[in-house]
Amino acid sequence: MDTRKAAQRWADVWQRGWREHDAAAIEALYAEGAFWQQDPFRDPEPGYLARVFAEEESCECQFDKPLVDGAQASVRWSARTRLASGGSENLAGVSLLRFDDRGLVVEHLDFSVFG
């Protein structure tokens, strides 16, 4: 498995998937039973993508080139979302990823700020 390719695929699919609210494409990046903690101070939230995508009207996002070390990668990203309620959010974050030998994410930790 080439971690650099797997991490770039992750970033590319997330960027397109978030803009298009394509939860299925994003979920296909993860191994069964993968651990994904969306906030370092909260427990992981099953169904997170479905909930967030239902709250958003649109999203413009950018994912930077991954930094890779062994089977791990970090990816910096930013987004501006328009909410279905009429408001908007500016977000910036870093996703820390660990991949299995098939190039699927087995661990994903997000650190982000809202503005």
Side-chain angles (χ1 to χ4, degrees), residues 12-89:
D12 293 343
V13 170
W14 254 98
Q15 184 166 298
R16 183 188 53 74
W18 197 351
R19 287 178 178 162
E20 297 174 5
H21 290 157
D22 187 351
I26 292 170
E27 290 167 354
L29 296 167
Y30 295 83
E32 185 174 335
F35 179 82
W36 178 21
Q37 188 170 15
Q38 298 88 11
D39 183 296
F41 302 106
R42 296 187 185 137
D43 290 334
E45 180 185 337
Y48 177 78
L49 282 179
R51 180 185 62 78
V52 170
F53 287 172
E55 294 172 356
E56 292 178 354
E57 182 178 296
S58 64
C59 175
E60 285 301 319
C61 55
Q62 177 65 42
F63 285 70
D64 291 350
K65 183 177 179 177
L67 301 175
V68 175
D69 183 22
Q72 299 179 33
S74 63
V75 182
R76 189 172 66 167
W77 50 266
S78 61
R80 178 172 176 83
T81 62
R82 179 171 297 157
L83 303 175
S85 63
S88 64
E89 289 182 326

